[in-house]
Amino acid sequence: MLIDRPATTGVVDDEFWEPSWRPVVRGVGEILITLGLIVCLFAAYEFYGRSWRIEAAQDQVDTVLDRQWQEPGSAAPVAGQPIARVHIPKLNRKWAVMEGVTTDDLRKGPGHYPGTARPGQVGNMAIAGHRIPSVFWDIDRLRDGDAIVAETKTGWYVYRVVGRRKVLPTQVEVIDPDPFHPGGRPRTAMLTLTTCNPKLQNWQRLVVFAELDRTQARSQGRPAELKEAP
Amino acid sequence: MIYPWIWARLPGRFLGKLATAVLLVVVVLAVLWFAVFPMAEAVLGLDEVTVGP
């Protein structure tokens, strides 16, 4: 059956007809929706993707660390290699800490600022880590007296939290050998954690200070602070 | 009008088009997740957690 339908009468009765600008508007709309979805996905990546990646990398560097400790002799820290393990029993967390704070190092776990003290040394052992669930997300929950335990080939170093600060990213004095008297000669062994603050933003740094409380040789077994934590 | 344009150019009939479309989406997501986002993160400075001058 044929229906005589004049195409150029100027009468619009075709339901598929649309003004010529409408496909353009629709195209722009599609692009905007697509960009919006990509931004949502990027947010998901920042939160979960980085965490998963660090957890996967941690499994690997943890094994590397155990292998290093089985070899005889004590090696100097090598950039990009794990140097120690740090436990925070209150947060039920432990990590193999990398030597170095480059982007690549921090993608594997917390990183030890090169040139700062090593575990147990007088000075300031400074460690940076991402503010994401698998790293330093909850370190704002640490209170004075909470234990942070550094584990090396030879022993355990139990630090106790003594303070927290929120600083600007340029305030390097927080990783000074004596963070409470910058420029002075250090008398105690400190451990300092830095991460970004507020959560999911990066215009401040959250800093947690801890001071060495006691040392325990490996032969004496795990310190009591870690007994209940994994 | 990008998506209708792509859909019209996918091979096969409905199921073939659907399968190709899903594959395309997966490829795009993988490229974003494993290549673009890590780079974007570094460019935007969202991964800065250290103190420094």
Side-chain angles (χ1 to χ4, degrees):
Chain A
M1 192 172 65
L2 284 170
I3 299 171
D4 187 27
R5 187 196 244 174
T8 53
T9 52
V11 180
V12 179
D13 60 352
D14 187 339
E15 59 177 313
F16 294 111
W17 185 90
E18 50 183 28
S20 61
W21 48 264
R22 198 177 282 170
V24 178
V25 173
R26 239 200 271 177
V28 172
E30 280 178 359
I31 291 172
L32 292 179
I33 290 172
T34 308
L35 289 179
L37 290 175
I38 289 177
V39 169
C40 288
L41 191 68
F42 183 55
Y45 170 82
E46 283 295 293
F47 198 72
Y48 299 106
R50 272 203 301 190
S51 278
W52 293 336
R53 221 167 49 171
I54 287 185
E55 275 164 34
Q58 276 285 304
D59 284 346
Q60 200 207 330
V61 289
D62 211 58
T63 323
V64 172
L65 195 60
D66 279 331
R67 209 178 315 133
Q68 267 181 20
W69 286 349
Q70 276 159 21
E71 285 166 13
S74 65
V78 181
Q81 292 293 317
I83 60 154
R85 208 172 272 140
V86 167
H87 306 248
I88 303 187
K90 181 178 184 180
L91 306 179
N92 256 327
R93 294 237 165 247
K94 62 163 188 165
W95 309 272
V97 174
M98 310 300 295
E99 173 68 11
V101 291
T102 65
T103 303
D104 274 346
D105 297 328
L106 295 176
R107 278 182 180 165
K108 297 185 187 128
H112 174 236
Y113 286 83
T116 63
R118 294 171 65 180
Q121 266 185 355
V122 170
N124 188 3
M125 177 184 179
I127 299 172
H130 285 304
R131 195 79 184 271
I132 54 176
S134 60
V135 194
F136 288 168
W137 184 253
D138 275 331
I139 63 169
D140 55 332
R141 284 175 46 209
L142 293 176
R143 293 291 174 266
D144 286 2
D146 286 339
I148 302 178
V149 183
E151 176 190 1
T152 68
K153 179 178 178 175
T154 49
W156 306 85
Y157 302 89
V158 181
Y159 295 79
R160 298 268 173 201
V161 173
V162 292
R164 291 176 303 153
R165 274 183 76 188
K166 286 168 187 165
V167 300
L168 293 173
T170 48
Q171 289 180 266
V172 288
E173 70 267 21
V174 298
I175 61 165
D176 194 88
D178 183 351
F180 296 132
H181 307 93
R185 173 194 286 270
R187 269 166 302 202
T188 51
M190 301 285 298
L191 182 150
T192 297
L193 309 177
T194 72
T195 190
C196 54
N197 192 68
K199 283 174 179 171
L200 306 177
Q201 295 180 42
N202 68 350
W203 57 282
Q204 280 184 331
R205 298 291 178 264
L206 174 66
V207 184
V208 174
F209 299 109
E211 194 180 317
L212 187 65
D213 181 40
R214 62 193 182 82
T215 304
Q216 187 167 329
R218 198 161 262 284
S219 53
Q220 294 172 275
R222 288 169 76 83
E225 285 80 2
L226 294 182
K227 281 283 157 59
E228 59 277 34
Chain B
M1 304 297 282
I2 310 161
Y3 298 117
W5 187 87
I6 296 174
W7 183 257
R9 273 151 194 81
L10 292 176
R13 311 189 67 160
F14 180 76
L15 281 182
K17 282 172 181 283
L18 193 68
T20 324
V22 168
L23 189 72
L24 272 179
V25 168
V26 169
V27 168
V28 168
L29 290 186
V31 169
L32 284 174
W33 192 272
F34 294 106
V36 179
F37 289 166
M39 269 170 7
E41 173 182 279
V43 170
L44 295 173
L46 295 176
D47 54 355
E48 288 168 5
V49 289
T50 58
V51 290

